[in-house]
Amino acid sequence: MDIKSALEEAYRYGRGYTDQGKVADYIPELAKQHRDTVGATLINPDFETVSVGEDHYKFSAQSIAKIIIYLCVLETYDISYVRQFIGVTPSSKPFNSIIELELSHKNIPVNPFINAGAIVATSLLAQEYNENTFEKIRERAREVIGRSDLDYSHAIYQSESGSAFANRALTYMLLNDGIISPKINVEDMLNAYFKSCSLLVNTLDLAKLGAVLAHDGKDAEGKQILSVENASILRTVMATCGTYDYAGEFALLVGIPAKSGVGGGIVASSRSGYGIGVFCPGLDKHGNSYVGVRMLERLSKLLNLHIY
Ligand code: DON
């Protein structure tokens, strides 16, 4: 089947589920989104691009930004040092769980894609880049996605900062346990994390991110944007931890490394060279776009993308 027909078929199938998801409201600004907004972009191994629906609609990357945050950490420190502070184990609890942190080995976040792990990752960046931490993350996001005007939403950032009680609780526990250094300015670090989650993207941006990872770090022009090794690490952690406590089900159903965000986006990166971005803000109980997962399930079948 050609990629345009496959994407249109996945879009038709996904649209049948727009009444199933629930739009995130724990960040008040996100609650303004409409759950019948659906878009998708697919880039094939030859970098041909097709889109359907609201592919230009901008939404906040939310946890998808954790890919870029972790990439910056991997590019700043040796992986063996990073592993002392953040694990790579799939999570069995919700993405903002406090009990999981209490129960984990040495109180280290189990992986970089749950909130505690991404906050520790941002704190490691803050040790190196201080007040320029967010600029570092934004610059890298611009380079990897290939869009120099990529920026954050001030309204979403403020909304997130004003309602981040759970993230602050996790942060202070991590400080208490010595996982976050007391030498950094914790509020500045959290602001860098919130701004990163508020980066505005569309499905084309996500498909480009997925395509770069799928091509072992190379963009459409063949330029090496990130290392082969880091692209492999990111795809691996996406496959095992990218959809939180749904990752096992997702592996069975879709079988493509992917990362979701509560803004409603999902980026997927197939081993055969496809980059995919899907969007619909209604979420399942794990925080993954309900329609997005359905569209990826369909695409995986139609284009034979399941890696297992
Ligand atoms: O910190 C938060 O809660 C959000 N900025 C990001 C969480 C998120 O996207 C979880 N994903 N599905």
Side-chain angles (χ1 to χ4, degrees):
M1 187 181 242
D2 69 279
I3 54 171
K4 183 74 182 165
S5 308
L7 195 63
E8 280 168 355
E9 162 59 20
Y11 177 72
R12 259 194 308 277
Y13 177 71
R15 282 208 70 94
Y17 292 92
T18 47
D19 59 343
Q20 297 288 311
K22 186 177 176 306
V23 178
D25 56 6
Y26 75 100
I27 299 170
E29 196 65 19
L30 296 186
K32 295 179 179 168
Q33 301 195 104
H34 296 288
R35 64 182 186 175
D36 53 359
T37 315
V38 183
T41 300
L42 183 143
I43 301 177
N44 80 357
D46 297 324
F47 285 98
E48 284 163 341
T49 304
V50 288
S51 284
V52 285
E54 309 271 353
D55 60 313
H56 283 84
Y57 179 83
K58 295 257 175 63
F59 52 90
S60 54
Q62 295 300 333
S63 285
I64 296 169
K66 293 170 183 172
I67 295 175
I68 304 294
I69 295 173
Y70 193 47
L71 172 64
C72 291
V73 169
L74 293 173
E75 290 176 340
T76 303
Y77 301 98
D78 192 84
I79 180 97
S80 56
Y81 177 75
V82 179
R83 289 291 301 278
Q84 292 175 34
F85 301 94
I86 312 166
V88 285
T89 304
S91 165
S92 64
K93 304 282 181 297
F95 62 80
N96 54 3
S97 174
I98 285 177
I99 194 164
E100 180 161 72
L101 194 55
E102 285 200 284
L103 296 177
S104 67
H105 176 64
K106 294 186 181 167
N107 302 117
I108 288 167
V110 291
N111 70 62
F113 291 164
I114 55 167
N115 286 8
I119 289 168
V120 172
T122 311
S123 82
L124 292 175
L125 295 177
Q127 284 182 50
E128 185 69 23
Y129 305 107
N130 305 301
E131 67 278 11
N132 298 319
T133 299
F134 171 66
E135 283 68 26
K136 169 75 189 170
I137 296 165
R138 179 175 58 187
E139 191 49 34
R140 210 60 190 105
R142 287 175 172 173
E143 287 164 359
V144 175
I145 289 172
R147 183 158 69 78
S148 58
D149 64 351
L150 193 138
D151 219 334
Y152 73 101
S153 155
H154 196 69
I156 295 175
Y157 154 65
Q158 280 192 314
S159 181
E160 186 152 349
S161 176
S163 56
F165 310 115
N167 280 334
R168 287 199 169 80
L170 288 169
T171 301
Y172 283 92
M173 280 178 63
L174 289 158
L175 255 178
N176 182 59
D177 294 334
I179 316 294
I180 288 181
S181 165
K183 290 189 190 141
I184 64 158
N185 182 318
V186 167
E187 277 301 317
D188 285 355
M189 180 278 290
L190 278 171
N191 283 333
Y193 170 71
F194 301 143
K195 285 181 183 171
S196 304
C197 291
S198 306
L199 284 169
L200 291 177
V201 291
N202 56 31
T203 57
L204 175 61
D205 293 327
L206 295 187
K208 283 162 77 183
L209 169 60
V212 165
L213 295 174
H215 283 83
D216 289 328
K218 280 195 180 138
D219 68 8
E221 278 74 50
K223 187 171 163 207
Q224 197 78 46
I225 307 288
L226 58 117
S227 73
V228 175
E229 187 190 5
N230 285 340
S232 167
I233 293 172
L234 291 172
R235 284 194 313 268
T236 307
V237 185
M238 285 162 70
T240 52
C241 312
T243 47
Y244 310 107
D245 46 335
Y246 186 68
E249 301 272 353
F250 188 86
L252 204 59
L253 193 68
V254 180
I256 311 173
K259 178 80 207 83
S260 63
V262 289
I266 307 179
V267 55
S269 181
S270 90
R271 201 63 278 261
S272 47
Y274 286 82
I276 309 168
V278 292
F279 171 74
C280 181
L283 307 177
D284 64 19
K285 64 177 180 186
H286 309 279
N288 308 308
S289 169
Y290 197 98
V291 169
V293 172
R294 307 283 95 57
M295 288 196 283
L296 289 172
E297 176 195 355
R298 204 68 174 168
L299 279 174
S300 176
K301 284 208 179 68
L302 293 171
L303 297 173
N304 197 21
L305 302 180
H306 203 297
I307 51 173
Y308 305 108

